Amino acid sequence: MVVSDWYRMIERLSNVALFALYQTTVALGLCLLPLAVAMRRVGLTLPVHRLLAAAERSYQKRSPAE
């Protein structure tokens, strides 16, 4: 295997891991939605949107241009 093949394989693995992280974060946000709504009624907020935004930025920065 050539070095460039290894680099592409590692890059692809990294992209897949970031995509999985992003999807997991979206799923976590959806699961926590009822709790967030209940907390909002009492005047508190869950900062899930910050976690989701950070994961999305990270994924979009690494994803290949279309």
Side-chain angles (χ1 to χ4, degrees), residues 10-65:
I10 296 296
E11 186 177 357
R12 176 75 175 147
L13 184 60
S14 175
N15 286 343
V16 168
L18 277 172
F19 180 71
L21 173 68
Y22 176 65
Q23 291 298 321
T24 303
T25 306
V26 170
L28 178 66
L30 288 172
C31 291
L32 290 176
L33 185 61
L35 178 63
V37 169
M39 288 180 67
R40 187 106 192 224
R41 286 184 172 209
V42 234
L44 301 171
T45 58
L46 272 177
V48 176
H49 64 281
R50 284 189 256 163
L51 181 63
L52 182 61
E56 182 178 14
R57 274 192 313 271
S58 192
Y59 175 68
Q60 287 180 347
K61 209 182 299 185
R62 291 290 308 222
S63 67

